[in-house]
Amino acid sequence: MLPPPPPVLLILGTDAAGKDYVAEFLIHRWRAAGHRVEKRAGGFAAAPAADARSSSESKGRWGRFREQAFLGVFPLLRPLLSAVGRLLLARDRRRYRPSAAPLVVVSHTALRLLALLLGQQREEWAARARSPALERSLRAALPPETTVIVLDVAPATRHRRIAARIRAGTVDPFDRYMLADPDRAERIERCLVELATRYLDAAVIENDDLDDDALERELARVLCRPAPFLPP
């Protein structure tokens, strides 16, 4: 049985990790139990999400165009993106205003950007993850009493889910980017998991083919941890 919702819950994961499904699973059960819950996507300061569609389904043609344009110029922007990611983290935290109800935040654009950058080469992660500036930015990124969950999936699971999106016509450019190079996709996911666990006190859920009962047990396990993240 799930505990009541924490004040703020951040759900992290790469493309096809199941972030939206897990968020909607939790929100549905919490609301059925009488709890008010607000959902935001992409950051703590984002506007409330209007519906239950996944991020891929809700992007639309313009959103997909912007993703494709970003990936096209990504090699040129790489020297700047670590600083940009830190600025986006600080901006989101500065603009955040607490919700009147417990808040579920699905993904975080700046954290995904940093994982994308660090995951290009393993040696980049080893060097940059020790950056004092990055560490300070990450440790200051979360509102008080934030609980963080990061979803980890096997390469075969990611491939199968993205293939299903292709068949359904809901695939986006980042899905295809992850599908194009499985080793790179694994590095990006590993970097996101390490950022989340090292600096954000995140709990990991291996989200491979869990039925609803198994998913609820895993969520109850991580949400019942005694101490939520408290920023310094």
Side-chain angles (χ1 to χ4, degrees), residues 73-124:
V73 298
F74 174 67
L76 300 176
L77 295 177
R78 280 179 63 182
L80 306 173
L81 290 181
S82 182
V84 169
R86 295 197 303 271
L87 288 172
L88 290 175
L89 282 173
R91 179 175 180 266
D92 180 66
R93 181 66 182 89
R94 186 172 64 251
R95 298 179 65 180
Y96 166 73
R97 296 296 179 270
S99 169
L103 177 62
V104 175
V105 179
V106 185
S107 192
H108 197 293
T109 301
L111 289 169
R112 290 187 66 192
L113 174 62
L114 289 168
L116 174 68
L117 175 64
L118 296 172
Q120 297 304 306
Q121 299 292 335
R122 183 64 193 179
E123 56 268 23
E124 288 189 42

Side-chain angles (χ1 to χ4, degrees), residues 35-229:
H35 299 287
R36 292 177 58 214
V37 185
E38 180 183 317
K39 178 184 175 184
R40 300 179 190 176
F44 297 106
D51 53 45
R53 290 181 299 169
S54 72
S55 58
S56 292
E57 293 170 333
S58 62
K59 282 170 186 170
R61 185 175 299 177
W62 175 238
R64 287 174 168 79
F65 172 79
R66 288 187 299 174
E67 285 190 356
Q68 190 61 58
F70 170 79
L71 290 172
V73 298
F74 174 67
L76 300 176
L77 295 177
R78 280 179 63 182
L80 306 173
L81 290 181
S82 182
V84 169
R86 295 197 303 271
L87 288 172
L88 290 175
L89 282 173
R91 179 175 180 266
D92 180 66
R93 181 66 182 89
R94 186 172 64 251
R95 298 179 65 180
Y96 166 73
R97 296 296 179 270
S99 169
L103 177 62
V104 175
V105 179
V106 185
S107 192
H108 197 293
T109 301
L111 289 169
R112 290 187 66 192
L113 174 62
L114 289 168
L116 174 68
L117 175 64
L118 296 172
Q120 297 304 306
Q121 299 292 335
R122 183 64 193 179
E123 56 268 23
E124 288 189 42
W125 161 255
R128 297 193 189 188
R130 299 190 186 98
S131 160
L134 176 60
E135 180 174 354
R136 286 194 301 271
S137 296
L138 288 165
R139 293 196 183 280
L142 303 187
E145 299 185 281
T146 297
T147 298
V148 183
I149 294 172
V150 60
L151 305 176
D152 192 2
V153 295
T157 301
R158 181 183 301 108
H159 185 281
R160 186 176 67 251
R161 290 176 181 172
I162 295 176
R165 290 181 182 180
I166 292 173
R167 292 192 298 271
T170 60
V171 70
D172 63 41
F174 275 115
D175 289 332
R176 294 187 184 277
Y177 184 81
M178 297 292 278
L179 191 62
D181 188 335
D183 290 337
R184 180 180 61 197
E186 273 298 288
R187 290 196 305 271
I188 292 169
E189 180 179 66
R190 190 160 59 247
C191 286
L192 182 61
V193 170
E194 290 191 37
L195 285 173
T197 54
R198 180 181 296 188
Y199 298 118
L200 307 180
D201 193 32
V204 181
I205 291 179
E206 295 183 4
N207 193 32
D208 294 304
D209 301 319
L210 298 178
D211 60 28
D212 285 355
D213 289 340
L215 177 58
E216 184 165 349
R217 287 194 298 271
E218 282 294 287
L219 289 166
R221 173 182 65 82
V222 300
L223 291 170
C224 287
R225 294 196 306 163
F229 179 91

